[in-house]
Amino acid sequence: MKYINSKIDNFKFTIITSTYNCGNDILVTAESIRNQNRNDIQWIVVDGSSSTENKILLEECKDLISVFISEKDTGIYDAWNKGCDFIKGSWVIFLGAGDMFYSANTLNLIEIEIDKLQNQTKLIYGKLELISETGKQLKIIGENWDKMRNKWNNGRMKLPVHPEVFHHKSLFEDLRFNTEYSIVGDSDFLIKAIAKSDPIFVDVIVTKMLAGGTSQNPKNSKKIINEIKYNFGNPLFTIALN
């Protein structure tokens, strides 16, 4: 099933969210988008053919969703790739179900920073707030790229966290997510994007994200390391570090 719920082509921001039986988490993200109080947001939701109960919850967000796709996929990166085919916004951010913008003014603040930078980069990122299940702040993540470049953390390159990154639409003309990965496909994409354009940090808290996601779960450490090893022969690792 697929529908396009908007005839507008001139969006400033595109948000891409993949879902699969995510329950009320999608309502959290929807409310966050609704609170931005802008009409230039394209929200693309790609659902992996969720249960009827979950599709009912998605229906509650229908007024906000510009493009909705519901069909089986091979995982989050396959879903994101499907969403990338419909990008209309100038800048693209990927939010998971349950992720939310830090404040009702987040996209306004990011737009100010974009205007200041005047096409200096294709990657702009800010900070991310990790929160507990009760909404308590656990940690703020995000620092200047000069402090991250050439640094490694837990066996992989230090990179911005994906839900704090805004990608210029031109990056998707020849880049997509590698569906051979199940966990580090977003890191792989950022490495390739950084090879094209150095990211620029802005001092704005972009997103609130629940701690304990797939990439943060210690049970997935071995799988993450194996997926990273798969890429050690990729010259893009060297390019991105220089």
Side-chain angles (χ1 to χ4, degrees):
M1 181 176 69
K2 183 183 301 180
Y3 70 74
I4 298 177
N5 197 29
S6 175
K7 296 180 180 179
I8 300 173
D9 284 333
N10 188 26
F11 293 99
K12 183 70 175 183
F13 297 103
T14 290
I15 302 164
I16 297 179
T17 301
S18 70
T19 63
Y20 181 67
N21 292 338
C22 60
N24 288 323
D25 286 349
I26 192 64
L27 302 182
V28 172
T29 303
E31 186 64 18
S32 170
I33 295 170
R34 195 185 306 279
N35 288 342
Q36 294 303 297
N37 196 28
R38 300 176 62 118
N39 59 9
D40 59 352
I41 301 172
Q42 179 195 31
W43 190 20
I44 300 172
V45 176
V46 186
D47 178 63
S49 193
S50 290
S51 67
T52 300
E53 292 81 3
N54 280 269
K55 286 179 180 175
I56 290 171
L57 291 171
L58 286 163
E59 279 288 320
E60 294 185 30
C61 314
K62 191 172 182 178
D63 63 309
L64 289 175
I65 297 173
S66 304
V67 178
F68 179 71
I69 301 167
S70 183
E71 59 189 28
K72 290 186 180 298
D73 56 52
T74 61
I76 185 171
Y77 304 121
D78 183 29
W80 283 0
N81 283 340
K82 292 178 182 180
C84 288
D85 291 337
F86 294 89
I87 290 170
K88 296 290 187 181
S90 299
W91 291 88
V92 183
I93 185 170
F94 295 83
L95 295 183
D99 293 348
M100 65 195 91
F101 288 116
Y102 182 75
S103 76
N105 204 34
T106 295
L107 291 182
N108 293 332
L109 294 174
I110 290 296
E111 184 174 28
I112 290 169
E113 298 298 331
I114 287 170
D115 291 343
K116 285 180 187 176
L117 291 171
Q118 297 182 343
N119 301 319
Q120 294 178 42
T121 182
K122 295 182 178 182
L123 289 165
I124 294 170
Y125 71 100
K127 297 177 180 178
L128 180 144
E129 181 188 43
L130 280 178
I131 60 174
S132 69
E133 291 185 358
T134 60
K136 180 181 178 182
Q137 182 187 105
L138 301 177
K139 188 178 182 180
I140 298 288
I141 297 171
E143 58 185 343
N144 194 288
W145 179 240
D146 288 339
K147 294 182 178 180
M148 298 176 70
R149 188 198 301 270
N150 298 325
K151 299 292 180 20
W152 291 73
N153 185 36
N154 295 327
R156 57 173 162 172
M157 280 177 58
K158 288 192 75 173
L159 293 166
V161 182
H162 218 83
E164 68 189 16
V165 181
F166 290 85
H167 316 69
H168 191 264
K169 63 180 180 182
S170 61
L171 287 170
F172 300 93
E173 292 173 2
D174 58 1
L175 286 182
R176 286 293 188 271
F177 295 91
N178 187 338
T179 57
E180 292 184 32
Y181 296 123
S182 60
I183 298 177
V184 301
D186 47 349
S187 297
D188 173 73
F189 182 93
L190 279 177
I191 289 166
K192 293 172 182 174
I194 289 168
K196 294 176 176 290
S197 178
D198 270 0
I200 293 180
F201 170 75
V202 296
D203 193 11
V204 176
I205 304 177
V206 176
T207 314
K208 293 183 182 183
M209 185 175 76
L210 187 67
T214 301
S215 62
Q216 302 170 46
N217 191 329
K219 294 181 180 179
N220 293 321
S221 296
K222 185 175 180 180
K223 191 169 187 178
I224 291 171
I225 291 170
N226 287 337
E227 289 193 3
I228 292 169
K229 283 180 178 178
Y230 175 82
N231 223 335
F232 273 150
N234 188 337
L236 287 168
F237 266 85
T238 304
I239 292 170
L241 286 168
N242 289 335

